[in-house]
């Protein structure tokens, strides 16, 4: 079922759990390739991308046990028993598949993969990955549809300065460096909590890393790593979605496992919009006002406002009092969901990287389509306050990054049902 029927039912209230971060767990699953043995990941979200990454690891020769809720046991063979290529459709299904490149090259000396797919919200080149790995001694043989890389012996340590603090490139290069020969430095590294969490997993496996949580990572390569246990960090974007459901409906919702220290700038914007943030109990609680206030927002690399928050923020501001300006500084093409909000009655105009939002008193339900994970989730939020019935198609995207979003919203009091 890929369409959700949403009707307004007043303020949402209650407690909800976000579970582990999609942008952490997929990289941590790939990191298991670095060491023989049984790896144990906990707080794993039940999402489609975890299933796809599990299938990819199985195709590479691993065994993945998903029999326990929100846990994974990944059994990894020796380096000589790992397959270094897998069926193209597994790579094409998600962007995060690129992160097997670093682990395979540094451990097995070769990798072959189709170009990664995933959400379509603008051009996202992979040259940050390939340039960094080339500097470490990898040789690439790419064409328009695939990547093939080899290295003679161990990758060599080097000093890498990223042109942009790419989250996924930092992850990939960090994993490559932990088994490289010598001392590596990654400058202008991404500082996201998910990158830091990957580093903590690697340290638990025996890696030597300094500077986690900063823009300068220093890695001393080791000859071998071992399997380890790790708890995946909470998903801050999923947490933000449930907090947004409280704000937009004037409700009172607490995300019991949310990390306030990972959402500082977002919580400031929530308060600027009139929300009341409560950090006294577990996680983060937010009470929404009778009507939100306008607020200007610009996306920036962490610790700034994440680009993944923007569809949620734009949706909230579409019913806020006043005029807001939202600026996208990271990806072109991430205003594609705006046309769908306009179909619901929002007053939004876009020009280049900017969207001007004139808040309206209410939205009106109709059929809309979510083109990516966050856009579809944002349209569901819009449906919570749109008069009449909103039908959101594209919910297969939401399943890639949210652990039962409809069920958890329903538990908070929302009227959400699958289209028959």
């Amino acid at each position: 079922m890929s369409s959700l029927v949403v009707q307004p039912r007043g303020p949402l209230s209650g407690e909800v759990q976000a579970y582990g971060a999609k942008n952490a767990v997929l990289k941590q699953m790939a990191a298991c390739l670095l060491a023989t043995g049984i790896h144990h990941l906990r707080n794993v979200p039940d999402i489609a991308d975890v299933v796809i990454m599990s299938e990819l690891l199985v195709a590479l020769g691993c065994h993945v046990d998903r029999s326990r809720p929100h846990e994974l046991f990944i059994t990894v063979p020796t380096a000589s028993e790992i397959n270094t290529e897998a069926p193209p459709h597994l790579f094409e299904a998600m962007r995060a598949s690129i992160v097997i490149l670093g682990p395979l090259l540094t451990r097995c000396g070769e990798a072959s993969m189709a170009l990664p797919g995933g959400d379509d919200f603008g051009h996202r080149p992979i040259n940050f990955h390939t340039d960094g790995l080339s500097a470490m001694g990898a040789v690439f043989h790419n064409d328009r549809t695939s990547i093939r890389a080899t290295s003679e012996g161990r990758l060599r340590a080097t000093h890498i300065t990223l042109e942009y603090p790419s989250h996924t490139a930092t992850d990939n290069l960090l994993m490559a460096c932990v088994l490289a020969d010598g001392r590596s430095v990654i400058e202008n590294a991404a500082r996201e909590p998910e990158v830091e969490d990957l580093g903590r997993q690697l340290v638990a496996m025996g890696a030597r890393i300094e500077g986690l949580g900063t823009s300068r990572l220093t890695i001393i390569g080791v000859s071998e790593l071992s399997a380890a246990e790790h708890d995946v960090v909470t998903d801050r974007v999923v947490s933000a979605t449930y907090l947004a459901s409280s704000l937009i409906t004037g409700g009172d919702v607490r995300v019991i496992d949310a990390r306030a220290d990972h959402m500082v700038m977002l919580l400031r914007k929530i308060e600027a919009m009139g929300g009341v943030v409560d950090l006294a109990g577990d996680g983060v609680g937010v009470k929404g006002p009778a009507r939100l206030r306008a607020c200007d927002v610009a996306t920036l690399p962490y610790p700034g406002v994440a680009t993944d928050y923007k569809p949620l923020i734009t949706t909230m501001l579409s019913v806020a009092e006043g005029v807001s300006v939202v600026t996208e500084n990271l990806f072109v093409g991430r205003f594609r969901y705006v046309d769908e909000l306009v179909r619901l009655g929002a007053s939004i105009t876009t020009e280049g990287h900017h969207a001007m939002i004139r808040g309206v008193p209410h939205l009106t339900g109709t059929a809309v389509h979510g083109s990516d994970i966050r856009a579809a989730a944002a349209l569901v939020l819009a449906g919570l306050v749109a008069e009449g019935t909103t039908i959101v198609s594209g919910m297969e995207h939401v399943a890639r990054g949210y652990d039962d979003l409809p069920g958890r919203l329903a538990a908070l009091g929302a009227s959400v049902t699958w289209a028959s």
Side-chain angles (χ1 to χ4, degrees), residues 30 33-34 56 60 84 91 96-114 116 126 128-131 133-134 138-140 142 147-150 155 172-173 175-176:
L33 291 167
L34 293 166
L56 177 53
L60 296 175
T84 55
F91 296 102
S97 61
I98 189 72
V99 296
I100 71 148
L101 195 56
L104 286 181
L105 272 172
T106 200
R107 185 148 188 246
C108 305
E110 60 180 337
S112 181
M113 59 181 289
I126 62 169
F128 294 159
H129 304 257
T130 56
D131 288 352
L133 291 168
S134 294
V139 178
F140 284 87
N142 301 349
I147 303 169
R148 187 169 66 86
T150 57
L155 292 178
N172 219 350
L173 297 173
M175 289 188 284

Side-chain angles (χ1 to χ4, degrees), residues 19 212 222 254:
Y19 291 102
L212 289 173
V222 297
R254 177 172 294 276

